[in-house]
Amino acid sequence: MPAREVARLAKVDVDTPTALEVDDLVHEQEPALIARGAAYATEYARIRENAGILAKNLATVVVALRVRHDDMRGASGAYRKDVGEIYAGLGEGDREKLQTAVRWHVGNILRRYLTPRELEKLDLKPTSPLERQQDSRAANAAIVAAGRAELQAATSKKGRKPKDNELPAPTVRETADHLRMVHAATNIMNQLSPDVINHAMTDGQRAKLDEELETIQKAIAKLRRITRKARSEG
């Protein structure tokens, strides 16, 4: 049942609700309390559902204002004055919370509205906040997968019981662990973003990253010599 209909039947004002105390409601019978609760719950869900759409629409308005002001970075005083009027009726807490959501949507909308060349000219990152969020989640998942593969490999080694004066034969699990670890390492390397390296890192951080990459490159080269030799001898 639509939220407004539930509220009407329960005789609950969901448009301008007031905070209630228990003493305000104890006189109501169970069916009335259930109907009242359902009205509040339904209206809460409706507001939550529409909140994202409203924030996105507001972000679209903000981008349109940037176009009108010929100020796609939103830095001019005239643009800021217009945007300030939009939020003028909100309290500080509500304004900050909404502005944070709107900025996220603005970042995504700009990446769809502007061309890569226009983004570069404005010194804006080519990736949207949504893409960076997805990349971050993928990177975290890759790191977790790598940690899990490393733990599984360590567990496999602990479980080995070699015979006296004899090297243990690799198990099926150990060979699978090697493939899992390489796959996890590849996923992590694929998460390294040229955009972050070029625009977010300091020179010192880039130098440190280059050192680490060189170490990885040497380790890979050493392992590849082993795999190539083993394959040729096989």
Side-chain angles (χ1 to χ4, degrees):
M1 183 181 296
R4 288 294 188 273
E5 182 63 14
V6 172
R8 185 185 66 79
L9 294 175
K11 298 181 181 179
V12 174
D13 184 4
V14 292
D15 291 316
T16 55
T18 57
L20 298 171
E21 300 291 342
V22 175
D23 288 341
D24 297 328
L25 303 178
V26 291
H27 66 282
E28 293 188 2
Q29 299 297 317
E30 288 90 339
L33 287 171
I34 292 170
R36 177 185 289 276
Y40 290 143
T42 306
E43 180 66 5
Y44 178 82
R46 186 189 71 82
I47 292 172
R48 285 285 299 270
E49 181 180 356
N50 290 337
I53 297 174
L54 292 174
K56 187 175 181 180
N57 287 347
L58 177 51
T60 304
V61 170
V62 167
V63 173
L65 278 172
R66 293 189 183 190
V67 174
R68 295 292 300 174
H69 284 278
D70 192 21
D71 176 22
M72 297 310 295
R73 286 194 65 92
S76 68
Y79 163 80
R80 290 178 178 274
K81 178 177 178 296
D82 285 353
V83 172
E85 291 183 21
I86 290 176
Y87 295 105
L90 302 181
E92 183 177 352
D94 289 335
R95 182 175 64 252
E96 290 180 356
K97 186 175 181 179
L98 181 55
Q99 284 177 325
T100 298
V102 168
R103 278 194 294 268
W104 190 83
H105 285 295
V106 166
N108 295 324
I109 294 169
L110 284 175
R111 270 70 182 184
R112 294 195 302 270
Y113 184 79
L114 298 174
T115 66
R117 185 181 295 275
E118 289 171 330
L119 289 170
E120 183 179 5
K121 186 176 179 180
L122 292 166
D123 197 26
L124 293 174
K125 295 179 180 179
T127 54
S128 69
L130 176 59
E131 291 170 328
R132 292 195 293 274
Q133 182 184 69
Q134 292 170 337
D135 288 345
S136 176
R137 288 175 178 171
N140 289 337
I143 292 170
V144 170
R148 187 179 295 117
E150 184 179 1
L151 178 61
Q152 289 173 339
T155 303
S156 296
K157 291 179 181 178
K158 285 182 180 180
R160 279 191 321 199
K161 293 182 179 180
K163 297 179 181 179
D164 292 339
N165 301 321
E166 188 177 68
L167 290 174
T171 65
V172 173
R173 181 173 178 179
E174 284 179 298
T175 59
D177 286 341
H178 275 59
L179 294 174
R180 275 194 293 268
M181 285 190 289
V182 170
H183 180 70
T186 301
N187 284 341
I188 288 178
M189 296 303 297
N190 287 337
Q191 298 307 316
L192 297 180
S193 168
D195 184 44
V196 172
I197 296 171
N198 288 328
H199 299 101
M201 282 188 163
T202 64
D203 288 341
Q205 289 171 328
R206 293 189 193 96
K208 178 61 176 176
L209 177 62
D210 190 60
E211 289 178 10
E212 297 290 348
L213 290 174
E214 184 180 11
T215 301
I216 293 170
Q217 191 175 41
K218 290 179 179 178
I220 291 173
K222 180 179 179 181
L223 290 171
R224 291 200 67 199
R225 285 195 295 272
I226 296 171
T227 57
R228 286 196 296 268
K229 181 179 179 182
R231 288 173 63 189
S232 64
E233 292 175 351

